[in-house]
Amino acid sequence: MGREAHRIVNQGAQNSWQGAAHRLSKGHEDDDLHHLLHYHLLRYHAGRSSYFLIETKLIKPAMATHAHEGVMTDIKFYNTRTRSKERFEPIDPENLRMYVCGPTVYDRAHLGNARPVIVFDVLYRLLRHVYGESHVTYVRNFTDVDDKINARAAESGRPIGEITEETTRWFLDDMAALGALEPDAMPRATGYIGEMIAMIEALIEKGHAYAAEGHVLFRVRSYEKYGALSGRSVDDMIAGARVEVAPYKEDPLDFVLWKPSDAEQPGWESPWGRGRPGWHIECSAMAKALLGETFDIHGGGLDLQFPHHEDEIAQSCCANGTGEMARVWMHNEMLQVEGRKMSKSLGNFFTVRDLLEQGVPGEVIRFVFLSTHYRKPMDWTEKKREEAEATLRKWRALINRDDFIDDHDRGHVTSMLADDLNTAGAISKLHEIYDEARDKGGPYIGIFRSEARSLGLLQDEIGGWAVAPVADLSGLETHLNKARQTAMQTKDFSEVDRLKAAFIEAGLEVRMSKEGVELIPGAGFDPAKLEGLE
């Protein structure tokens, strides 16, 4: 049984706290579970409407178990904060909370932007599987106030709101094509300006921030633990600084919480004049509003570790008077293309949409990403793409067999993911499960599909690309197998080579083993090219 979340549109209250909440729920089969309704007003904005998330939660035993096995799942994650792999123990197993830094919406998402989406989508699926869908809340924000957005508006002459609305939709569509689930809440920064101002006021009151020339800055040295997440000392930061220090700063390390806006820039009234928030304060305010002062997991790309996440911790802990912001910090490594950093100057920069329009299926992109552990640099190559597509076509051909019988997973992939999201190990395990399912058929195929879906693969929603023309290849398989047996005796393999070349030309993958011959339709399979080969 999972949570049913409904978005209720409040047509007349843009950026408002007001809205009508209507309780919506549906029945479940577990009679021993008791409903506990929580009305969390998780506010986020999309266009001219305000959306509200209503959660129906269930009281369940505070234990992480496989529903089908009833055994404890021991989850371990590498915690950037402690620099060690730790056993994961949620603050409250019935209310597990995760925040991931989302995109700045001014253009199409490039391939590197997709990696944290896929990494934390897999984590979200794991947590929902282990703790129950009704006990996990995932928040990923949109930064819709930023100087890059301002520059894009100035260049194009288009309103900022029009640009951010369009690019937000682009992002969601592209990530859906990769098989990513939408988070439970997707707040936009502009919907939380009041919360940001309140947090900044608290920091000033407590002596952690100061106003100067229309700006408000955070006093870095007022927070003794600054640098702990990234392993940097304040003195080393000063020694390595090569930036011009603004005259209104007390200390070169102090960072902006609020800055003034001119007539051409977006701005909001505040105690320090009309202005807009600094980037770092946005996530601190939204995370607190939606998840509380302290929550379980904070994630993002490694490039955000410093200064963004370091600054988030300092702001949040000082404003809230807490010892920590998040219990576990997780960061994914960066992406390369053909062994080189992705860069427009190198000509190897492309967006997710570029790949999709070139005919690369979103599921293939997802598979390539999952083939590398999230804490290792990921190298996107054409060879990996081709191998991923061939594997997925083979896997999808199996689950479309007539002898398919649905069945639940056996926890093999979950066990791999519970070891610091070992997606590469999970893919290797799926290859083993595939071999067994191919040979035994029936429910073993159902088990294979269920295991793959733990990674977000073989979902119906992203599988249309793999539909190949229907053709009975059994006769051709028999023909090639006989030719192969004859060649083994005569040592003349010319007929085998001719058939293989023809099959490959027709878009078939040829697999030969001791057990026999298997022909698998691949990209561009054309049955017409097989005429006359038998």
Side-chain angles (χ1 to χ4, degrees):
M1 153 118 190
R3 172 176 58 199
E4 184 180 17
H6 300 268
R7 296 176 183 174
I8 310 299
V9 180
N10 175 15
Q11 297 289 352
Q14 182 180 10
N15 298 330
S16 169
W17 284 98
Q18 304 302 316
H22 177 64
R23 182 197 182 284
L24 295 171
S25 64
K26 61 183 179 181
H28 57 83
E29 66 275 14
D30 300 312
D31 293 333
D32 60 331
L33 297 179
H34 302 283
H35 278 90
L36 175 64
L37 295 180
H38 295 272
Y39 293 99
H40 291 299
L41 206 58
L42 301 187
R43 184 169 63 112
Y44 63 102
H45 298 271
R48 296 184 178 180
S49 301
S50 299
Y51 288 76
F52 299 88
L53 184 77
I54 300 173
E55 299 180 41
T56 302
K57 294 202 171 184
L58 299 175
I59 301 175
K60 291 186 178 180
M63 179 179 293
T65 62
H66 290 308
H68 53 76
E69 295 178 355
V71 297
M72 188 73 174
T73 299
D74 192 26
I75 299 178
K76 293 182 179 179
F77 296 134
Y78 182 86
N79 189 350
T80 306
R81 183 172 62 86
T82 61
R83 289 164 185 76
S84 64
K85 188 188 290 189
E86 303 173 342
R87 185 174 184 273
F88 177 64
E89 297 182 1
I91 298 170
D92 177 2
E94 295 178 2
N95 183 25
L96 200 153
R97 292 153 291 155
M98 175 172 72
Y99 187 96
V100 174
C101 289
T104 299
V105 282
Y106 68 97
D107 206 343
R108 287 282 187 185
H110 60 69
L111 193 60
N113 297 143
R115 193 177 192 195
V117 173
I118 293 176
V119 167
F120 293 104
D121 177 69
V122 172
L123 175 56
Y124 183 40
R125 292 173 185 270
L126 172 66
L127 297 175
R128 281 158 55 103
H129 180 71
V130 173
Y131 291 93
E133 293 181 15
S134 63
H135 299 301
V136 182
T137 301
Y138 173 23
V139 177
R140 187 185 66 219
N141 74 292
F142 286 108
T143 294
D144 60 346
V145 52
D146 185 89
D147 288 344
K148 291 180 181 179
I149 301 173
N150 299 341
R152 180 57 52 88
E155 293 170 2
S156 64
R158 298 174 63 196
I160 288 176
E162 183 179 300
I163 291 173
T164 58
E165 182 65 26
E166 178 182 62
T167 51
T168 296
R169 187 70 261 160
W170 286 350
F171 181 86
L172 292 175
D173 289 346
D174 289 349
M175 296 310 111
L178 305 185
L181 298 171
E182 284 196 1
D184 299 292
M186 296 179 285
R188 301 190 185 198
T190 52
Y192 290 80
I193 300 297
E195 289 83 347
M196 296 174 202
I197 291 174
M199 182 171 279
I200 294 171
E201 288 180 315
L203 288 169
I204 293 175
E205 182 179 347
K206 295 179 179 182
H208 294 292
Y210 58 94
E213 299 182 24
H215 295 76
V216 180
L217 298 106
F218 183 87
R219 285 192 177 95
V220 167
R221 293 184 186 273
S222 72
Y223 182 57
E224 294 181 356
K225 296 181 181 179
Y226 191 84
L229 179 69
S230 57
R232 303 166 184 243
S233 73
V234 172
D235 291 337
D236 288 342
M237 293 179 203
I238 289 291
R242 290 185 173 85
V243 295
E244 183 178 352
V245 179
Y248 48 79
K249 283 190 175 186
E250 294 180 356
D251 188 292
L253 292 181
D254 294 348
F255 59 86
V256 172
L257 300 172
W258 188 265
K259 52 189 173 183
S261 295
D262 60 31
E264 302 300 321
Q265 296 170 322
W268 292 262
E269 293 303 323
S270 78
W272 318 286
R274 184 176 179 276
R276 60 197 189 279
W279 175 36
H280 311 302
I281 195 68
E282 297 174 9
C283 288
S284 286
M286 288 184 282
K288 179 182 178 179
L290 300 179
L291 299 177
E293 295 180 350
T294 303
F295 49 93
D296 296 285
I297 299 172
H298 195 314
L302 187 62
D303 56 325
L304 300 181
Q305 183 183 17
F306 183 88
H308 184 53
H309 288 168
E310 197 78 72
D311 292 354
E312 275 190 63
I313 293 173
Q315 295 163 163
S316 296
C317 291
C318 290
N320 301 328
T322 56
E324 62 183 7
M325 180 186 184
R327 178 74 52 88
V328 177
W329 288 81
M330 299 177 68
H331 295 91
N332 63 272
E333 256 286 3
M334 298 294 98
L335 174 136
Q336 297 176 322
V337 176
E338 301 289 352
R340 307 174 74 183
K341 180 179 178 181
M342 188 168 69
S343 168
K344 291 182 179 179
S345 63
L346 295 176
N348 64 353
F349 178 94
F350 42 85
T351 67
V352 173
R353 181 53 49 178
D354 289 337
L355 287 180
L356 294 173
E357 291 182 348
Q358 290 167 18
V360 181
E363 189 175 30
V364 170
I365 299 172
R366 184 182 187 92
F367 188 100
V368 174
F369 278 28
L370 295 178
S371 299
T372 300
H373 191 273
Y374 79 95
R375 287 194 293 112
K376 293 182 178 179
M378 201 217 81
D379 190 15
W380 174 273
T381 68
E382 181 61 19
K383 181 181 179 181
K384 288 181 180 179
R385 184 204 65 76
E386 293 174 352
E387 292 174 346
E389 182 169 334
T391 296
L392 285 169
R393 285 189 181 278
K394 177 179 68 175
W395 287 4
R396 284 196 169 273
L398 175 64
I399 66 173
N400 287 326
R401 270 178 27 180
D402 292 338
D403 60 335
F404 171 88
I405 298 175
D406 198 12
D407 205 340
H408 60 72
D409 72 274
R410 297 299 188 263
H412 298 299
V413 168
T414 296
S415 295
M416 287 290 179
L417 298 181
D419 181 16
D420 194 30
L421 289 187
N422 185 5
T423 56
I427 293 288
S428 296
K429 178 60 67 175
L430 280 175
H431 283 295
E432 298 175 15
I433 301 171
Y434 166 83
D435 290 339
E436 183 179 31
R438 180 194 59 201
D439 297 339
K440 296 182 178 180
Y444 288 91
I445 302 177
I447 292 170
F448 169 70
R449 187 181 71 171
S450 295
E451 293 282 358
R453 286 185 169 181
S454 297
L455 284 171
L457 297 171
L458 304 188
Q459 301 284 341
D460 294 337
E461 297 81 1
I462 55 173
W465 68 273
V467 176
V470 177
D472 183 2
L473 303 175
S474 58
L476 293 173
E477 290 171 339
T478 299
H479 184 47
L480 177 57
N481 196 38
K482 287 181 179 179
R484 182 184 176 212
Q485 291 173 353
T486 299
M488 296 288 287
Q489 296 174 351
T490 64
K491 307 301 180 184
D492 180 3
F493 288 85
S494 58
E495 177 64 7
V496 173
D497 293 339
R498 184 187 74 83
L499 289 172
K500 284 176 60 178
F503 293 155
I504 293 171
E505 173 65 23
L508 292 173
E509 178 188 355
V510 181
R511 295 175 61 88
M512 295 190 293
S513 65
K514 297 178 184 177
E515 289 74 26
V517 172
E518 186 178 11
L519 300 178
I520 302 172
F525 170 49
D526 184 0
K529 293 184 178 180
L530 299 176
E531 295 179 5
L533 287 178
E534 290 190 51

